[in-house]
Amino acid sequence: MKKFFLLAMIFAYCTQTMVAQTITEGSRWWNGERLYTAHVDGAGNITMDGESESMGGDTFILMKEGDGHYTLNAGNKQGWLFVRGEVGWRVDYVRQGRQDFLAVRNPHGDAVGIFVWTPEDLDGCLTHQKELEAKEVSWVLQHSLLDAHYLGCFSKPQLRLMRNEILARHGWRFQSKDLREHFGKQPWYKPVADNNRIKLNSIETINLQLLKYEESLDDRERVRYDRAEAAPEMAEAVDGVITVTTEEQFINALGNNRTVQIGADVHLNLSRILEQEDKFAGVPGRAWATIAKKDISNKPIIVSESCNDGQQLTLKHFEGLTIRGERNSSIEVDPRYAFCLNFYDCFDCRVENLTIGHTEYGYCDGGVIGFEGGRNNIISDCDLYGCGTFGIVGRSLGNAWVKRTKIHHCTYGIMDLYDCWNLTFEDCDFFSNKETPLISNGSGLNTTFRGCRIYDNWAEGKLFSTNEPIRLFGCEIHHPRIGDIDSLVTDNHCLIDGMSPVIPPRTKPIGPDVD
């Protein structure tokens, strides 16, 4: 499938930028806080002795696995590590241009910590670190590897902007509204037509991974970050509304018959907490599962569920839960094949006034919002953007309503519905989506579109695939291949043609933050 080809291409690109090297006796390695000196034994294993200005020294071991590849081990009987990573994780020696560094990688292959080769002593490294921290952040992102000591100076919203600036410097075209507006104000930002053509070098790739890892950590695990600035784990309810500002607060707030509101200008990356098994496994009301539906209880449960390349949030057996954004707020996830929000047998739940999407492109599996089973659920005033892979996926879903919502830049279709009934899409815009069919309605009864506009989608894909009638009232559709047009029941106010004109803005705008 396409996704495996894409992953293979990414792996091939990353590996060809890496040149196998061997750590030499007496070489020095700086991680932003401590300077380590390498001592090599006869088998090529490395003892790294560290020294720092105020925190004392420590030792860890690198067991040689092959040219340029090592395994991280503790240097004490207790098995403690004072560096980023865990015993058994891989460490690669990387050379990019004139820069040599060690990258500690988690089991997914992403870098979580680095050690940069240096000819300097401890005083020289400390001086260089202070000079680095005095420079503009944009300069550092373009010219230096990022270490945990440096990243600890920044809040998670700042880290998110830093991560996306690396992409923006290459012209990455953002779907998230706040990122489009932020980088659109930068004179150097020139968006490209196709994000897939963007190529990052090894240092940029490592920095992206380091930033993502830093964002995923609990603030208590971060180096230097002011814990007083960290939001409490539990948010208080005011007038029945629980306003959250962190991923952990969001997960803690979920429950039946309540409203969880994501605070103004807050952008949650749920992958930061979904990848932490200890937050779900063995915790009452939560689960860490390969397949969420295997649980047969009817109690509400929050599941970090495995998908092809990570974890997704699946909410099971919830009733009366509303998830909404206050202003300019969003939800995103990192895995390309995960749902951003997935509802399983949920009733009377709502998602309102939010921008929701993925950080990277995906194919074949997943989507922005998924429903399996359940009744009387509503999505309103949202912006569901692509990469992931359908805007909405519904299975055995009944009496659902999607209104005043945009679905765009999805890589496998607008929606994929099967065995659903009484679904209504009202005053929605569907545009810039790809693949075929764009709207799939298998065995779906009483599927209705009212006042919707469908335009500027991938012209080669047919628009509708359905074995049951679809009703269209007052819709405007511009697409060259309508598909199962004999199954469309339209009124006199529908416009259906094969043209793709420039669509003027709606008289009454739709999406998040519309008064």
Side-chain angles (χ1 to χ4, degrees):
M1 288 192 299
K2 290 183 179 180
K3 61 184 177 184
F4 298 116
F5 174 75
L6 179 63
L7 291 172
M9 290 295 292
I10 293 171
F11 177 78
Y13 173 73
C14 291
T15 53
Q16 67 181 306
T17 60
M18 182 184 300
V19 179
Q21 303 291 328
T22 302
I23 299 173
T24 57
E25 173 69 31
S27 58
R28 295 173 176 174
W29 304 87
W30 174 248
N31 74 343
E33 184 177 40
R34 297 181 183 178
L35 180 65
Y36 291 87
T37 301
H39 301 289
V40 187
D41 68 15
N45 300 320
I46 313 295
T47 298
M48 300 287 269
D49 287 328
E51 56 177 327
S52 65
E53 184 178 34
S54 57
M55 298 185 66
D58 70 85
T59 300
F60 66 92
I61 308 296
L62 295 176
M63 304 296 293
K64 186 178 174 69
E65 297 293 336
D67 289 342
H69 306 308
Y70 300 84
T71 299
L72 185 61
N73 278 274
N76 53 71
K77 294 181 180 180
Q78 294 81 6
W80 297 338
L81 282 172
F82 298 94
V83 297
R84 285 278 169 85
E86 297 182 14
V87 171
W89 284 11
R90 175 169 165 166
V91 179
D92 291 327
Y93 190 135
V94 182
R95 172 171 291 172
Q96 173 70 35
R98 298 182 179 181
Q99 180 75 75
D100 287 40
F101 59 95
L102 307 177
V104 182
R105 300 186 185 276
N106 64 19
H108 296 296
D110 295 331
V112 303
I114 55 102
F115 301 85
V116 178
W117 177 87
T118 178
E120 300 176 336
D121 59 13
L122 179 60
D123 288 340
C125 289
L126 291 169
T127 298
H128 174 76
Q129 190 76 15
K130 291 177 182 178
E131 293 173 349
L132 187 70
E133 293 174 5
K135 294 182 180 295
E136 291 289 334
V137 173
S138 292
W139 186 94
V140 177
L141 291 174
Q142 296 177 73
H143 297 93
S144 182
L145 278 163
L146 306 175
D147 57 65
H149 196 69
Y150 177 80
L151 295 178
C153 299
F154 301 95
S155 67
K156 288 185 178 178
Q158 291 172 317
L159 293 174
R160 177 175 178 265
L161 288 178
M162 292 164 65
R163 171 167 55 85
N164 284 289
E165 182 173 330
I166 294 174
L167 298 171
R169 291 280 175 183
H170 290 271
W172 186 273
R173 186 177 293 274
F174 297 100
Q175 306 306 327
S176 182
K177 177 183 175 183
D178 71 297
L179 294 176
R180 288 200 309 270
E181 292 178 349
H182 174 79
F183 291 111
K185 297 174 183 177
Q186 311 305 318
W188 46 262
Y189 178 57
K190 307 295 182 186
V192 299
D194 183 1
N195 287 345
N196 288 320
R197 296 182 179 275
I198 290 176
K199 301 295 184 182
L200 306 179
N201 62 38
S202 291
I203 290 179
E204 290 171 325
T205 301
I206 293 287
N207 278 341
L208 275 177
Q209 294 170 357
L210 293 170
L211 282 158
K212 279 188 178 182
Y213 184 73
E214 190 74 20
E215 290 179 76
S216 73
L217 293 175
D218 187 292
D219 284 323
R220 292 167 295 184
E221 301 176 273
R222 299 179 60 201
V223 177
R224 297 178 68 191
Y225 186 68
D226 187 354
R227 276 69 175 172
E229 296 180 10
E233 295 179 4
M234 292 297 296
E236 296 183 0
V238 178
D239 296 329
V241 177
I242 306 172
T243 300
V244 301
T245 58
T246 70
E247 292 79 15
E248 187 157 6
Q249 285 183 353
F250 176 77
I251 295 296
N252 289 341
L254 295 171
N256 282 346
N257 302 310
R258 65 184 63 178
T259 296
V260 178
Q261 178 170 271
I262 299 172
D265 301 311
V266 171
H267 307 286
L268 300 183
N269 186 330
L270 297 184
S271 297
R272 297 170 185 163
I273 190 167
L274 293 173
E275 298 290 343
Q276 300 182 51
E277 184 174 355
D278 63 310
K279 301 291 187 182
F280 295 89
V283 178
R286 302 184 190 180
W288 177 274
T290 302
I291 303 176
K293 66 177 68 176
K294 286 186 176 181
D295 176 68
I296 60 175
S297 71
N298 291 320
K299 296 180 179 180
I301 186 168
I302 304 167
V303 185
S304 178
E305 181 180 12
S306 298
C307 61
N308 184 277
D309 58 342
Q311 303 292 123
Q312 68 184 15
L313 176 64
T314 296
L315 303 179
K316 297 185 61 180
H317 312 309
F318 276 77
E319 295 184 9
L321 170 64
T322 294
I323 300 172
R324 77 182 188 203
E326 184 174 0
R327 176 180 55 78
N328 187 33
S329 53
S330 67
I331 290 174
E332 65 181 10
V333 296
D334 293 335
R336 289 161 291 191
Y337 309 110
F339 285 104
C340 300
L341 293 173
N342 192 33
F343 296 86
Y344 184 89
D345 279 348
C346 293
F347 291 77
D348 301 299
C349 292
R350 303 172 68 102
V351 180
E352 303 175 342
N353 201 51
L354 275 167
T355 298
I356 309 175
H358 293 69
T359 61
E360 298 179 22
Y361 285 120
Y363 293 91
C364 299
D365 297 326
V368 183
I369 298 181
F371 292 95
E372 184 163 352
R375 310 285 184 274
N376 307 326
N377 297 299
I378 297 175
I379 300 171
S380 67
D381 304 287
C382 286
D383 185 327
L384 311 183
Y385 67 86
C387 320
T389 55
F390 297 93
I392 294 173
V393 174
R395 298 287 183 268
S396 302
L397 173 66
N399 301 332
W401 193 12
V402 180
K403 54 184 180 179
R404 298 187 300 276
T405 288
K406 304 174 185 178
I407 298 179
H408 58 100
H409 291 91
C410 291
T411 54
Y412 237 55
I414 297 167
M415 63 187 72
D416 185 25
L417 311 174
Y418 183 77
D419 195 26
C420 299
W421 65 95
N422 296 343
L423 304 193
T424 300
F425 300 84
E426 183 170 314
D427 293 329
C428 295
D429 279 3
F430 309 130
F431 58 93
S432 299
N433 301 287
K434 293 186 65 176
E435 296 302 334
T436 181
L438 290 161
I439 296 176
S440 179
N441 182 54
S443 302
L445 300 176
N446 197 23
T447 302
T448 302
F449 295 82
R450 296 181 181 274
C452 295
R453 305 191 306 176
I454 306 174
Y455 60 94
D456 195 26
N457 294 288
W458 191 49
E460 295 181 26
K462 70 177 182 178
L463 183 54
F464 290 102
S465 174
T466 181
N467 56 7
E468 295 289 345
I470 291 178
R471 301 188 302 173
L472 305 169
F473 299 102
C475 294
E476 184 177 349
I477 298 174
H478 305 282
H479 199 79
R481 297 183 61 200
I482 300 300
D484 296 338
I485 193 167
D486 293 339
S487 297
L488 304 182
V489 179
T490 65
D491 67 358
N492 293 330
H493 300 288
C494 281
L495 171 62
I496 302 178
D497 64 29
M499 306 299 292
S500 295
V502 176
I503 304 298
R506 283 181 176 265
T507 304
K508 185 177 181 180
I510 64 172
D513 306 321
V514 175
D515 296 330

